[in-house]
Amino acid sequence: MTTVTDLYPTRGITEVSVPRKDPVLWGSPDTPGPIANADLQAYERDGFLAVDQLITPDEVEVYRGELERLVTDPAIRADERSIVEPKSKEIRSVFEVHKISEVFAKLVRDPRVVGRARQILGSDVYVHQSRINVKPGFGASGFYWHSDFETWHAEDGLPNMRTVSVSIALTENFDTNGGLMIMPGSHRTFLGCSGETPKDNYKKSLQMQDAGTPSDEALTALASEHGIRLFTGKAGSATWFDCNCMHGSGDNITPYPRSNVFIVFNSVENTAVEPFAAPVRRPEFIGATDFTPVT
């Protein structure tokens, strides 16, 4: 078996901070795609790109209807790919949604979606993870600050930062209903967290992050350097962000629900190896080992 150098050590005795060793944009300036050059430069600088309308209002209704169908289906609720809220026991997320639903499978293949991923990553891509997130009003809990890459590197075995996520809003994102927050520019620093990864950590972390959580001191330093951007927008808007962005979201105590579809594209040239800092690999529905390109 080929040994892969660990460029980003994490889950050790102490927390470590190291500069990013990978490009942010992997494609060349003339790589075809729907993102304008100025927006690509902004993505490289900030680690994210907001799109005011990625899908149309009519399409939003179709995807929102499919989301409602899935979260109210008893068979889906009983599936291990559904994650429920610790307190309310309502569905919080449904994973591998592009395999469960042909409606969402078509969204993954949409040129407006996969075309942007190919343009950023400079290669064909596959879906490392997909899910729908449901954050109903009156108490849905948030996601604590974290870097996705830290988890995907430690627990899924992704070697390099060649992965991009898109969050497509299916309900309006207000500044009060638990929207996505990102520290602009934080993608240029890798924060290796302290503490070993427990076996089957995913069962707990999908409800509440524990292992892979940055310290208060590290988060304070990053926020002081980079600030925090809160994303708002109409249903149909989208946020693309680099895998190493420090991000999170707050609880939703408003009456206004917040739901989105979340797709993670990874380069076919960055396929997973053995986990770098976990005793076992996470299940396929969370971290794919089917590297078939999206076509």
Side-chain angles (χ1 to χ4, degrees), residues 68 134-138 170-174 177 252 254-259:
E68 290 298 323
V134 184
K135 192 178 270 191
F138 300 118
L170 300 182
T171 53
E172 184 162 358
N173 287 272
F174 300 102
N177 65 341
N252 182 13
T254 75
Y256 311 116
R258 176 179 173 265
S259 298

Side-chain angles (χ1 to χ4, degrees), residues 188-205:
R188 295 194 173 277
T189 302
F190 176 74
L191 191 63
C193 299
S194 62
E196 292 186 355
T197 308
K199 185 178 180 181
D200 291 341
N201 177 56
Y202 76 93
K203 293 181 179 178
K204 180 179 179 182
S205 67

Side-chain angles (χ1 to χ4, degrees), residues 90-154:
E90 295 298 317
I91 287 182
R92 173 191 181 104
S93 301
V94 179
F95 281 79
E96 216 169 42
V97 71
H98 71 295
K99 292 189 175 181
I100 294 175
S101 163
E102 179 55 30
V103 173
F104 285 113
K106 289 179 180 178
L107 179 62
V108 166
R109 299 190 298 265
D110 190 306
R112 294 168 295 179
V113 178
V114 70
R116 283 176 165 86
R118 293 189 187 115
Q119 194 175 1
I120 290 168
L121 301 181
S123 70
D124 282 334
V125 297
Y126 71 93
V127 177
H128 177 70
Q129 183 186 105
S130 73
R131 67 180 187 261
I132 47 174
N133 292 325
V134 184
K135 192 178 270 191
F138 300 118
S141 55
F143 292 87
Y144 197 69
W145 291 105
H146 64 286
S147 154
D148 286 331
F149 179 75
E150 192 278 338
T151 297
W152 298 338
H153 183 69

Side-chain angles (χ1 to χ4, degrees), residues 215-291:
S215 68
D216 291 353
E217 292 77 13
L219 289 170
T220 299
L222 283 172
S224 297
E225 180 178 358
H226 300 294
I228 296 173
R229 165 82 183 270
L230 170 66
F231 291 86
T232 59
K234 299 287 187 181
S237 63
T239 305
W240 292 84
F241 59 101
D242 179 84
C243 58
N244 192 46
C245 283
M246 190 61 66
H247 67 288
S249 64
D251 296 350
N252 182 13
I253 61 172
T254 75
Y256 311 116
R258 176 179 173 265
S259 298
N260 68 297
V261 54
F262 185 81
I263 307 163
V264 179
F265 293 101
N266 188 37
S267 169
V268 296
E269 299 172 10
N270 187 44
T271 54
V273 295
E274 288 302 306
F276 287 90
V280 293
R281 180 183 301 284
R282 298 195 299 174
E284 178 75 16
F285 69 87
I286 302 174
T289 55
D290 177 356
F291 309 131

